[in-house]
């Protein structure tokens, strides 16, 4: 996960930056956390943890708060 935004426009801008940087599977998903609607930006979905780790290292330079969200 690269970020979570209350304003969808901000999430789309971050997603677009990721796509321009080569992360073509970047996406925005809407969710509710603690009663708030958020737009969550993800760099993609990955079959194995090693792929996720590699992408995390690549995006943390520009997005240092990024982390792996296992969905569990």
């Amino acid at each position: 996960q690269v970020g979570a935004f209350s304003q969808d426009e901000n999430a789309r801008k971050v997603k677009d930056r990721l796509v321009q940087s080569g992360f073509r599977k970047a996406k925005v998903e809407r969710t509710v956390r603690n009663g708030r609607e958020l737009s969550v930006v993800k760099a993609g979905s990955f079959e194995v943890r090693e792929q996720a780790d590699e992408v995390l290292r690549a995006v943390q330079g520009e997005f240092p708060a990024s982390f792996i969200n296992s969905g569990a």
Side-chain angles (χ1 to χ4, degrees):
Q1 178 176 319
V2 177
F5 302 87
S6 58
Q7 295 185 4
D8 192 56
E9 181 180 342
N10 293 336
R12 284 195 313 265
K13 287 178 183 178
V14 169
K15 180 213 155 231
D16 291 345
R17 284 171 49 197
L18 285 168
V19 170
Q20 289 175 354
S21 294
F23 300 99
R24 292 189 262 290
K25 294 184 180 182
K27 58 187 172 182
V28 175
E29 295 179 352
R30 297 286 295 165
T31 189
V32 176
R33 291 188 189 158
N34 299 322
R36 292 180 56 206
E37 285 192 33
L38 295 173
S39 296
V40 176
V41 181
K42 296 183 177 183
S45 298
F46 307 96
E47 294 290 323
V48 294
R49 175 67 183 232
E50 290 78 16
Q51 290 174 321
D53 288 336
E54 184 177 322
V55 170
L56 178 63
R57 285 190 297 273
V59 300
Q60 278 187 321
E62 188 171 355
F63 304 99
S66 300
F67 63 94
I68 293 174
N69 183 341
S70 65

